Amino acid sequence: MTAFTIKSAQSDMRRGYSYGAPGVLVSGSVWLVSGVVAMTVSAQMSVLTLLVGGALIFPLSMLMCKLLGLPHGHTAGNPLGVLAGEGTVWLIAGCAIAYGVSVLRIEWFFPTMLLVIGGRYLMFQTLYGLRIYWVLGALLGATGFALALLRAPPVIGAFSGATIELISAIVLFVQAKGSASD
């Protein structure tokens, strides 16, 4: 049995999930597709697109890792793996809340999801030991709050989430690549 320190557990998570970059890229792509659906089909369908696509983020990011020859999993016994799972419970509850809010006011769905996802990313700082997740979480949360106050249309919320996550994914991939060459 391997004894983990917080630093070694975080290092294992960074190595095992390429700094989380593939997941953030897939998530940003789901937000992007949801924005396109909001523009071309309807706000209601964009809500379903984000929820269904969101449920596929982890398996799609693991598939991406496998296809790209990247590591795709943490070491058995890493205690941060449990934290990741526990955070998923909050995420599912947050999605249910966001969907319920959307039934009342469709324009509140994306700001609510930005707040929920932003809160989840704050926890990723502990998982990976990377402060960029505090920045990512704060940006998503602040954007969600601002869009709610502005009563922005759903398409703006979807594209805002996509933009923030896709830029963050690029930064994370660069960090992961820089770390691999050390």
Side-chain angles (χ1 to χ4, degrees):
M1 181 172 182
T2 303
F4 284 95
T5 65
I6 187 73
K7 295 285 186 205
S8 67
Q10 289 171 330
S11 177
D12 181 60
M13 294 299 277
R14 285 191 303 271
R15 181 207 53 78
Y17 297 105
S18 301
Y19 282 53
V24 177
L25 178 63
V26 171
S27 180
S29 299
V30 169
W31 282 89
L32 183 63
V33 170
S34 187
V36 170
V37 170
M39 277 180 36
T40 60
V41 181
S42 71
Q44 290 78 7
M45 285 304 296
S46 71
V47 166
L48 293 177
T49 300
L50 190 67
L51 291 173
V52 171
L56 298 174
I57 290 169
F58 185 74
L60 288 175
S61 65
M62 292 300 93
L63 177 62
M64 176 192 293
C65 288
K66 194 171 192 175
L67 293 173
L68 294 175
L70 298 171
H72 50 285
H74 59 275
T75 302
N78 185 331
L80 293 177
V82 174
L83 178 61
E86 292 167 349
T88 301
V89 173
W90 157 245
L91 178 62
I92 293 167
C95 289
I97 292 166
Y99 179 75
V101 163
S102 78
V103 172
L104 299 173
R105 300 217 31 162
I106 192 77
E107 67 272 10
W108 289 349
F109 174 76
F110 288 101
T112 303
M113 284 301 296
L114 287 164
L115 288 162
V116 167
I117 301 302
R120 179 166 165 79
Y121 279 133
L122 293 175
M123 179 199 64
F124 278 28
Q125 192 285 328
T126 300
L127 286 177
Y128 294 107
L130 299 170
R131 291 186 180 162
I132 185 175
Y133 282 108
W134 281 343
V135 174
L136 175 54
L139 276 172
L140 289 171
T143 301
F145 188 71
L147 293 177
L149 289 176
L150 295 171
R151 298 181 183 178
V155 68
I156 300 298
F159 284 128
S160 295
T163 301
I164 294 166
E165 288 207 58
L166 292 172
I167 291 170
S168 297
I170 292 167
V171 172
L172 286 162
F173 272 115
V174 168
Q175 283 186 338
K177 185 171 173 45
S179 153
S181 64
D182 290 340

